Amino acid sequence: MPSPPLPPRDAFLQLVLSQVRVTTLVCTRQVVVNGYKLPSRVVTDYNFIFCRQGKVVWVVDDVSHELSPGDLIVVPPGLPHHAYSKTKGMTIGSVHVTAKLPGGQDLFEILIPAHVRNVEAKSRLDQYLQMNVAEYDRADMPATQLTMPAYGRLITLELFRYDAAHGLLKQRPIDPLVAEMVD
């Protein structure tokens, strides 16, 4: 028996996620025991920051966001941001990506994920984020570096699915003809 057709919104999400090209620019893990301070900077990509231990404040475009374990913030390109820890000990993961559709359209301009969210423990997104951070425990750094681009893609795709499932994903209005074709 064939699966029932997806609602237009889900069909559109599946279509764009099947076509997107995610480029992972860098993945890092910061483990600090004596406080953390990130000077103000502006990046040209999307930066996912996820807190695994401790508390950190991420200030994006002069708006402060306190992150606790399980929290994830998406910092868009072009916005000044800086950070500091509220606890001496802290572990955060960071992934920098771009996500382009054929023709160069930025996926984040069509589907807009939440700026900040607490990721449900044991969700697929949480598991990918945890595995990304744990990858740095591998004794083989060349293998870790080869693996990181895959995590950027997995995390990006799952972020959109997660936000859609939790009602956090906003869709830029699309042309009715396009919506009808996707349907």
Side-chain angles (χ1 to χ4, degrees), residues 34-166:
N34 214 10
Y36 174 81
K37 185 171 177 132
L38 174 72
S40 186
R41 67 182 188 169
V42 175
V43 295
T44 60
D45 49 39
Y46 292 89
N47 187 190
F48 307 152
I49 308 294
F50 40 101
C51 183
R52 300 320 291 161
Q53 176 189 8
K55 290 187 184 269
V56 63
V57 175
W58 224 264
V59 182
V60 180
D61 207 21
D62 293 327
V63 177
S64 296
H65 305 278
E66 185 172 316
L67 306 179
S68 297
D71 290 342
L72 169 68
I73 187 169
V74 176
V75 180
L79 292 182
H81 61 279
H82 65 279
Y84 57 91
S85 59
K86 292 199 73 169
T87 56
K88 283 193 173 216
M90 179 201 76
T91 302
I92 59 171
S94 173
V95 177
H96 290 259
V97 299
T98 61
K100 302 285 184 180
L101 293 168
Q105 177 67 49
D106 185 337
L107 176 60
F108 288 86
E109 292 175 1
I110 294 173
L111 298 174
I112 305 164
H115 189 58
V116 180
R117 91 266 306 123
N118 181 270
V119 178
E120 186 179 304
K122 298 186 180 171
S123 65
R124 189 174 299 269
L125 180 57
D126 180 59
Q127 291 173 8
Y128 289 159
L129 293 169
Q130 284 189 49
M131 290 185 325
N132 176 265
V133 169
E135 185 66 29
Y136 288 95
D137 295 332
R138 185 191 292 230
D140 184 356
M141 188 50 73
T144 295
Q145 291 170 331
L146 286 172
T147 304
M148 293 325 246
Y151 279 111
R153 178 169 174 75
L154 285 171
I155 290 168
T156 300
L157 296 178
E158 196 56 36
L159 170 73
F160 283 99
R161 289 186 189 109
Y162 182 90
D163 279 7
H166 289 83

